[in-house]
Amino acid sequence: MKILVTGGSGQLGSYLLEELCDGHEVRSIDIRMPSIECNKRLVSNVDIRDPVGAARACDGVEAVVHAAAQVSVEKSIQDPRMDADVNVIGTLSMLKASADADVRKFVYISSAAVYGDPRHLPVDEDHPKHPKSFYGVSKLAAEAYVQAFAECRGLNYIIVRPFNFYSPRADPKSPYSGVITKFVERAKEGSPLLIEGDGEQTRDFIHAKDVARMIRMAVESSARDVTLNCGSGQATSINDLAETLSALRGGLRIEHVKSRVGDIRHSVSDVTLAKKVLGFQSKITLEQGLSSFL
Ligand SMILES: NC(=O)c1ccc[n+]([C@@H]2O[C@H](COP(=O)([O-])OP(=O)(O)OC[C@H]3O[C@@H](n4cnc5c(N)ncnc54)[C@H](O)[C@@H]3O)[C@@H](O)[C@H]2O)c1
């Protein structure tokens, strides 16, 4: 299958290119070049908001995986217009180009941020959507456009909502990197791991490689017009995460600092539907995933 991946220079995009290249003809667009050497020949410098570039990228393509996005919650709060421009207008541009090119399937990488504070656990796909940030709003608005393109233009879609994914390819210098990346960086420099609050808050961590594998299954499956959570289905407390990393490193100092205002207390995905529709289950345990950093 000929597949276009947007955001191929990003963390998830880099695993997607590796996963999909095995058996498919893959190309990608991004506004920066990839750091992974073998992906460099696959990525062209195109902004998803550029309709001409998007149309050219979609020409002759059978499936589009749209992973490019402005991914920072903090940046979305500082500059909601920029966030909406990339995540809503950019998605709209990719949808229009895909429909015009008669693309058979559009796989949109959304986010668990669309749910906001969980009202019940685990969080299933029908859980109410009350995003707590402009980032969550822009991802939810983009989902609505994806669904409207199915109605108005007959574009088949699968929406994937990842929970917290991680990998050694997340940018450690980014102030917006996730807790695992932050912990690993501090462990490497010999600094104590800083836990915000009591550490009993939970998250659903999944390795980016597993996320890429689920997206491959979504591209290849005959399923259409469905929205699926993507997680491990396991709730891990930040205390347990710190202890696991400490055990792998032969002991680390752990300190508690002030909790973050507005932080979600517990989050874990209901992964029943992804298993039913695609047969997907995450394979990489947190311990295996953390070992790959060290
Ligand atoms: N990291 C997580 O835990 C997480 C969780 C849920 C959902 N997601 C979603 O997964 C996707 C990938 O996230 P990631 O963590 O790999 O982020 P990332 O920042 O590593 O990758 C995103 C890529 O999009 C590119 N991009 C940004 N604006 C663009 C534009 N205008 N035109 C073309 N390319 C552009 C960036 O250059 C980057 O390479 C995003 O859609 C994100 O919203 C991430």
Side-chain angles (χ1 to χ4, degrees):
M1 206 186 291
K2 287 183 180 163
I3 304 170
L4 171 72
V5 174
T6 71
S9 304
Q11 179 192 187
L12 176 61
S14 71
Y15 288 105
L16 275 172
L17 295 187
E18 286 170 6
E19 180 72 41
L20 294 168
C21 267
D22 182 15
H24 298 285
E25 199 182 306
V26 185
R27 60 172 103 133
S28 180
I29 56 172
D30 202 299
I31 44 169
R32 57 182 172 126
M33 284 316 277
S35 50
I36 309 286
E37 198 52 46
C38 62
N39 285 346
K40 286 195 169 131
R41 70 192 163 83
L42 301 174
V43 182
S44 311
N45 197 313
V46 175
D47 192 311
I48 53 169
R49 293 165 290 183
D50 165 20
V52 177
R56 221 175 272 142
C58 288
D59 190 32
V61 157
E62 293 159 279
V64 170
V65 178
H66 178 39
Q70 185 303 111
V71 298
S72 158
V73 167
E74 285 80 356
K75 272 191 193 163
S76 82
I77 290 162
Q78 286 156 13
D79 192 349
R81 181 184 279 264
M82 177 280 296
D83 175 74
D85 195 31
V86 178
N87 292 354
V88 184
I89 303 301
T91 302
L92 195 46
S93 156
M94 292 314 305
L95 284 164
K96 167 91 169 46
S98 302
D100 289 350
D102 290 326
V103 163
R104 289 213 303 262
K105 186 174 263 177
F106 191 93
V107 178
Y108 174 56
I109 314 309
S110 181
S111 168
V114 300
Y115 295 117
D117 277 324
R119 310 272 167 99
H120 59 254
L121 292 168
V123 176
D124 60 278
E125 289 80 357
D126 291 329
H127 183 284
K129 320 295 179 293
H130 292 293
K132 288 185 82 168
S133 68
F134 299 126
Y135 167 73
V137 171
S138 66
K139 296 300 277 189
L140 187 57
E143 282 193 11
Y145 271 110
V146 172
Q147 287 160 335
F149 263 77
E151 287 291 329
C152 304
R153 299 285 308 268
L155 182 64
N156 299 335
Y157 73 85
I158 294 189
I159 293 171
V160 176
R161 292 185 185 139
F163 279 61
N164 294 73
F165 63 72
Y166 67 93
S167 79
R169 295 184 190 170
D171 181 2
K173 289 184 211 84
S174 165
Y176 314 109
S177 61
V179 60
I180 292 185
T181 308
K182 282 183 186 146
F183 276 7
V184 170
E185 283 309 298
R186 291 188 69 85
K188 281 182 184 163
E189 66 194 29
S191 309
L193 308 186
L194 301 180
I195 296 179
E196 291 168 348
D198 66 2
E200 284 308 301
Q201 62 272 38
T202 55
R203 293 292 179 270
D204 183 331
F205 296 111
I206 180 165
H207 198 287
K209 227 180 194 175
D210 264 336
V211 179
R213 192 169 54 81
M214 174 169 160
I215 294 165
R216 181 196 180 108
M217 292 167 96
V219 169
E220 291 174 348
S221 96
S222 56
R224 45 178 282 196
D225 304 349
V226 63
T227 300
L228 304 170
N229 281 342
C230 171
S232 66
Q234 305 285 323
T236 302
S237 75
I238 305 303
N239 286 333
D240 283 347
L241 172 69
E243 291 300 338
T244 307
L245 190 60
S246 173
L248 286 169
R249 291 283 290 195
L252 292 168
R253 274 183 302 137
I254 295 171
E255 286 174 14
H256 287 260
V257 293
K258 226 173 82 204
S259 60
R260 218 185 320 175
V261 181
D263 211 14
I264 288 174
R265 185 74 179 152
H266 295 294
S267 170
V268 64
S269 63
D270 185 330
V271 290
T272 315
L273 197 58
K275 189 171 179 207
K276 190 172 151 213
V277 173
L278 302 177
F280 173 78
Q281 269 182 302
S282 69
K283 278 187 189 161
I284 304 170
T285 64
L286 188 59
E287 213 161 69
Q288 288 166 338
L290 290 176
S291 309
S292 72
F293 281 85
L294 309 169

